[in-house]
């Protein structure tokens, strides 16, 4: 069974587009410029002493299934979801697979999220996009790290796999093109190191300071303290909406068997 996430996205996309050509998801795809290709060095990064270890290969104790299984298509859908968000929701255990000390997406389960919630942080995650015959573009080993559960740092095989630049690995999905393509080939481990500053809202729920993000992909700087435009949206432009000061980190189920390891975070 393919992921409900995918079904939700596709259904939302198809029905929205059928009604209104302005909701065609292709309108927000940017294909040029293409980030230059950089071959990353062979380095690894273990958790420093003050990090909260979110996954070390032993268990999924730090993770749970989120309240909402599917993914919203537009910023309006995200807003609806946030309004229904219940901080006292009784979560099911994280439904992904622990195999060979790795955390593997379970297609159909939907996303998983951290039990803990975070505001400003430094974050490290390692991921592997499996090799696959006949897959391409956004369909080739897709997942994502949703910072605060709302801002997607794209996980995708982007090694010799063309797609729109603002949707390739290291992009903030449909918002920010990475400064370089530091992707390793599919089947090899890769890592993201992220510094994230949460947005600040005033008492009128207006954003007074946007979220900012810095990302290293395999040690190569790909996002340089850049302001986000709002929550990630598949269709139409991103925009800001008020949300709690602390939110979980969410990992996306896009129907592909992405593997993760060595996940840690330092609160700032
Ligand atoms: Mg994704």
């Amino acid at each position: 069974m393919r992921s409900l996430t995918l079904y939700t996205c596709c259904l939302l996309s198809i029905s929205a587009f059928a009604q209104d050509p302005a909701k065609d998801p292709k309108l927000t795809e940017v294909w040029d410029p293409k980030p230059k290709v950089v071959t990353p060095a062979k380095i690894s990064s273990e958790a420093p002493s003050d990090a909260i270890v979110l996954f070390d290969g032993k268990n999924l104790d730090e993770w749970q299934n989120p309240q909402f299984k599917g993914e919203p298509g537009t910023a309006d859908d995200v807003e609806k979801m946030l309004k229904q968000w219940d901080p006292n929701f009784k979560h099911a255990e994280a439904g992904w697979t622990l195999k060979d000390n790795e955390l593997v997406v379970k297609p159909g389960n939907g996303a998983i999220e951290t039990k803990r919630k975070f505001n400003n942080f430094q974050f490290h995650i390692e991921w592997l996009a499996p090799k696959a015959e006949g897959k391409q573009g956004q369909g080739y080993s897709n997942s994502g790290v949703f910072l605060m559960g709302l801002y997607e740092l794209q996980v995708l095989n982007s090694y010799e796999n063309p797609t729109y630049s603002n949707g390739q690995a290291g992009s903030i999905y449909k918002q920010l093109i990475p400064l370089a393509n530091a992707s390793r080939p599919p089947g090899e481990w890769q890592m993201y190191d992220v510094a994230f500053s949460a947005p600040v809202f005033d008492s009128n729920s207006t954003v007074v300071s946007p979220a900012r993000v810095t990302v290293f992909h395999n040690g190569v700087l790909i996002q340089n303290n850049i302001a986000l435009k709002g929550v990630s949206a598949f269709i139409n432009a991103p925009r800001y909406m008020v949300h709690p000061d602390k939110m979980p980190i969410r990992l996306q189920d896009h129907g592909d068997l992405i593997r993760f390891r060595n996940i840690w975070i330092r609160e700032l």
Side-chain angles (χ1 to χ4, degrees):
M1 187 176 79
R2 296 191 73 193
S3 135
L4 272 185
T5 301
L6 269 178
Y7 286 137
T8 310
C9 275
C10 290
L11 285 174
L12 278 166
S13 162
I14 290 161
S15 61
F17 181 35
Q19 289 161 12
D20 181 358
K23 288 189 172 171
D24 182 353
K26 289 194 180 309
L27 290 177
T28 43
E29 296 177 2
V30 178
W31 286 72
D32 286 300
K34 297 190 189 323
K36 68 177 175 179
V37 173
V38 175
T39 304
K42 287 182 182 173
I43 48 176
S44 67
S45 184
E46 293 178 353
S49 60
D50 65 346
I52 298 167
V53 175
L54 295 174
F55 180 71
D56 63 2
K58 295 192 182 96
N59 58 59
L60 304 186
D61 290 357
E62 291 284 342
W63 299 85
Q64 63 190 9
N65 277 354
Q67 182 181 347
F68 301 100
K69 184 170 177 171
E71 279 188 34
T74 66
D76 288 350
D77 297 328
V78 179
E79 195 158 37
K80 270 184 226 155
M81 203 174 74
L82 275 169
K83 281 185 180 145
Q84 294 167 21
W85 189 66
D86 174 8
N88 299 313
F89 183 80
K90 241 186 144 2
H91 291 267
E93 285 183 12
W96 287 13
T97 310
L98 177 63
K99 187 172 178 242
D100 300 331
N101 300 116
E102 296 164 10
L103 173 59
V104 188
V105 175
K106 189 167 186 188
N109 178 80
I112 61 169
E113 67 180 15
T114 54
K115 291 177 182 171
R116 297 178 204 245
K117 299 172 181 68
F118 305 99
N119 180 248
N120 301 325
F121 54 80
Q122 176 187 350
F123 177 74
H124 174 91
I125 191 165
E126 298 176 19
W127 55 275
L128 183 148
K131 235 181 219 178
E133 291 297 326
K135 291 198 168 184
Q136 59 181 352
Q138 293 288 309
Y140 196 155
S141 291
N142 191 329
S143 181
V145 178
F146 281 73
L147 309 165
M148 294 194 96
L150 297 170
Y151 310 97
E152 184 184 9
L153 170 60
Q154 176 70 301
V155 169
L156 185 75
N157 167 38
S158 287
Y159 184 85
E160 298 176 352
N161 176 39
T163 187
Y164 40 96
S165 300
N166 62 347
Q168 72 178 64
S171 66
I172 301 300
Y173 186 71
K174 294 271 183 91
Q175 292 192 35
L176 303 174
I177 296 170
L179 297 170
N181 180 348
S183 298
R184 298 190 199 281
E188 293 188 17
W189 283 98
Q190 318 203 38
M191 61 186 184
Y192 285 149
D193 285 282
V194 180
F196 180 81
S197 301
V200 178
F201 300 89
D202 66 14
S203 53
N204 297 318
S205 301
T206 304
V207 67
V208 290
S209 170
R212 301 193 80 89
V213 71
T214 296
V215 182
F216 291 85
H217 182 189
N218 299 324
V220 176
L221 182 66
I222 59 165
Q223 302 286 358
N224 187 10
N225 189 29
I226 192 162
L228 274 62
K229 298 172 183 170
V231 301
S232 290
F234 178 55
I235 299 170
N236 294 351
R239 66 178 172 81
Y240 275 103
M241 60 200 66
V242 70
H243 58 71
D245 286 346
K246 288 190 163 192
M247 298 280 285
I249 288 177
R250 188 157 60 96
L251 301 179
Q252 184 184 43
D253 167 13
H254 204 281
D256 296 323
L257 296 170
I258 308 296
R259 293 149 57 186
F260 296 94
R261 70 179 187 190
N262 194 18
I263 309 173
W264 52 261
I265 194 164
R266 293 180 63 249
E267 293 183 284
L268 302 174

